[in-house]
Amino acid sequence: MSNENFIKGQGAQRNVINRFDRYTYEPEDEDFETVKTSFTEVFPKTIVNQVKSEDLPMEYSMNPYQGCEHGCSYCFARPTHEYWGYSAGIDFERKIMVKKNAPELLKKFFQKRGYKAAPILLSGNTDCYQPAERQFEITRKLLQVCLDYRHPVNILTKNALVLRDLDILKPMAEQNLVSVSLSIPTINEELRRKMEPRTSSAPNKLKAIEILSENKIPVHVMVAPIIPGLNSDEPLNILKSISDAGALGFGYTLVRLNDTVEPVFVNWIESHFPDRAQKVLNLIRSMRGGKLGDKRYFERQRGEGNIAEMIHTTFKIGRKKFFEGKEFPKLSIANFTGTKDQQLRLFD
């Protein structure tokens, strides 16, 4: 597929076969040119998910949307769309499921007898501030519930739309109930437009860090994913920029292309960077034992081989150089009682 035939504003250029479908149908590429993003209301019975992965640091997560308009070809959440009968390709970006009942479900969760508060990640799968949030405002309503019940929440997003909710985030931060983690895999704006076409621009993300920090809302940054041969020369520049903007900490991940993420990414890299596509894919394989993906706990985070070690060393240098003396605060569960008022529970 040549550059002039790209469908603008998205990562996947076609649907890929759903692993769970017996029969598949692949429309012609041009059919996708006129397909607009659709929103379908779904009615989950719960909104808070217990995170059981051994190598993830959070206990709970919640996702107001399924599917994501941001269009990152490497998104690990793509295969989850297949459980809904959709494709991990274009469908993931164009068919968005909306959980309008999420705020009520969250209230019920907080009121559960015996629940012990622990920070919830908003969101752990698809972005809670993707473009759909401008219309539906489910994330904003969830944050208001967290403020009402004095429950801590960590926000992870690629979108500066988080600034819209400063009026809720500021009083939450005063009670040590919120932190924001912005995902910034690159500060090269030309590369950003290809890697994550519908996210906020790199300058806008850096500005968001400044504004959040000025309002005493602690900011963390995920430099993720690192793709060798594409953005692997940027970590030190990114770490300096985010530290200067006020970020208190950072994390990073190495790219891994599990399941149906692989064909989406391979098509994307071959279309956008035909001159170095095979080099990039081979470098990823060198970090993943000859494969493009890795599902092994802990190993999937670290990778293996010389390229992975070079990346880890670079981040160690950056941490010492740009983040020494900075400390990210631990959120408070002290004032959560399972009620909207400050009255303590009579029974546990």
Side-chain angles (χ1 to χ4, degrees):
M1 184 180 292
S2 61
N3 258 325
E4 59 268 20
N5 292 326
F6 287 151
I7 304 173
K8 293 182 179 179
Q10 64 183 52
Q13 296 297 303
R14 59 174 66 114
N15 272 328
V16 293
I17 294 173
N18 185 320
R19 295 168 293 161
F20 308 114
D21 281 353
R22 256 185 97 183
Y23 305 104
T24 60
Y25 165 66
E26 175 63 42
E28 296 295 329
D29 286 347
E30 57 265 23
D31 288 351
F32 293 123
E33 295 286 353
T34 57
V35 174
K36 301 201 180 289
T37 302
S38 64
F39 303 101
T40 302
E41 184 175 2
V42 294
F43 302 90
K45 295 181 179 179
T46 60
I47 191 60
V48 179
N49 311 301
Q50 187 171 12
V51 179
K52 297 181 179 179
S53 296
E54 301 170 17
D55 56 352
L56 295 178
M58 74 288 295
E59 190 170 344
Y60 297 104
S61 69
M62 58 182 170
N63 299 279
Y65 306 100
Q66 293 294 134
C68 185
E69 299 172 84
H70 278 156
C72 310
S73 65
Y74 45 77
C75 180
F76 69 87
R78 285 183 178 274
T80 64
H81 227 46
E82 296 174 301
Y83 294 103
W84 297 83
Y86 294 123
S87 169
I90 287 178
D91 282 354
F92 180 75
E93 303 173 37
R94 295 285 188 94
K95 299 182 184 296
I96 309 301
M97 280 157 285
V98 180
K99 305 174 185 177
K100 293 182 181 179
N101 65 339
E104 290 304 315
L105 292 173
L106 185 59
K107 291 177 188 177
K108 291 179 181 179
F109 181 79
F110 287 162
Q111 293 166 3
K112 284 174 63 175
R113 184 183 179 92
Y115 168 64
K116 303 296 183 183
I120 297 176
L121 177 63
L122 178 66
S123 34
N125 195 33
T126 56
D127 202 308
C128 59
Y129 278 107
Q130 61 178 282
E133 172 62 16
R134 293 186 182 278
Q135 176 179 347
F136 296 104
E137 297 192 351
I138 302 173
T139 297
R140 179 176 175 82
K141 293 170 185 175
L142 289 170
L143 289 173
Q144 184 63 57
V145 173
C146 289
L147 175 59
D148 290 344
Y149 281 80
R150 303 169 305 285
H151 192 285
V153 61
N154 296 302
I155 299 168
L156 174 59
T157 182
K158 292 174 174 281
N159 205 311
L161 179 59
V162 65
L163 296 177
R164 178 201 63 189
D165 297 333
L166 277 174
D167 61 318
I168 301 176
L169 297 176
K170 288 170 67 175
M172 290 188 75
E174 289 170 2
Q175 301 179 62
N176 199 19
L177 294 175
V178 71
S179 71
V180 175
S181 185
L182 280 162
S183 175
I184 304 181
T186 178
I187 53 174
N188 177 333
E189 187 55 18
E190 183 179 353
L191 178 59
R192 198 278 312 166
R193 283 194 293 267
K194 294 176 181 178
M195 284 183 65
E196 37 178 39
R198 295 193 70 194
T199 65
S200 297
S201 69
N204 282 347
K205 290 181 186 179
L206 292 174
K207 186 64 178 176
I209 296 175
E210 292 181 7
I211 294 173
L212 290 165
S213 299
E214 288 169 359
N215 284 279
K216 296 182 170 48
I217 298 162
V219 183
H220 176 275
V221 170
M222 280 300 297
V223 188
I226 296 299
I227 305 173
L230 207 58
N231 66 340
S232 52
D233 61 339
E234 290 194 67
L236 292 180
N237 288 335
I238 294 173
L239 295 185
K240 182 181 188 307
S241 297
I242 64 176
S243 180
D244 290 347
L248 298 176
F250 70 88
Y252 67 98
T253 62
L254 307 181
V255 69
R256 57 189 178 94
L257 309 172
N258 290 341
D259 301 320
T260 36
V261 180
E262 179 179 328
V264 173
F265 181 86
V266 170
N267 175 248
W268 175 83
I269 193 79
E270 288 178 345
S271 300
H272 283 279
F273 301 97
D275 57 328
R276 51 176 150 159
Q278 289 310 310
K279 176 184 177 183
V280 170
L281 293 173
N282 286 335
L283 288 171
I284 296 173
R285 290 187 183 99
S286 76
M287 301 192 305
R288 299 296 179 192
K291 300 178 181 180
L292 291 174
D294 191 346
K295 295 183 179 180
R296 297 172 296 168
Y297 287 129
F298 300 103
E299 293 298 325
R300 63 181 181 170
Q301 308 289 7
R302 181 165 183 80
E304 60 185 60
N306 292 336
I307 299 299
E309 287 304 319
M310 287 172 59
I311 293 170
H312 295 317
T313 299
T314 300
F315 276 101
K316 286 179 184 176
I317 293 170
R319 190 179 300 278
K320 183 172 179 59
K321 186 170 184 179
F322 302 117
F323 282 84
E324 192 165 29
K326 291 195 174 191
E327 185 175 353
F328 200 76
K330 185 176 180 181
L331 299 186
S332 172
I333 60 172
N335 294 319
F336 175 80
T337 63
T339 65
K340 291 179 70 172
D341 56 41
Q342 294 284 1
Q343 181 179 343
L344 294 175
R345 286 179 173 174
L346 295 178
F347 304 99
D348 275 324

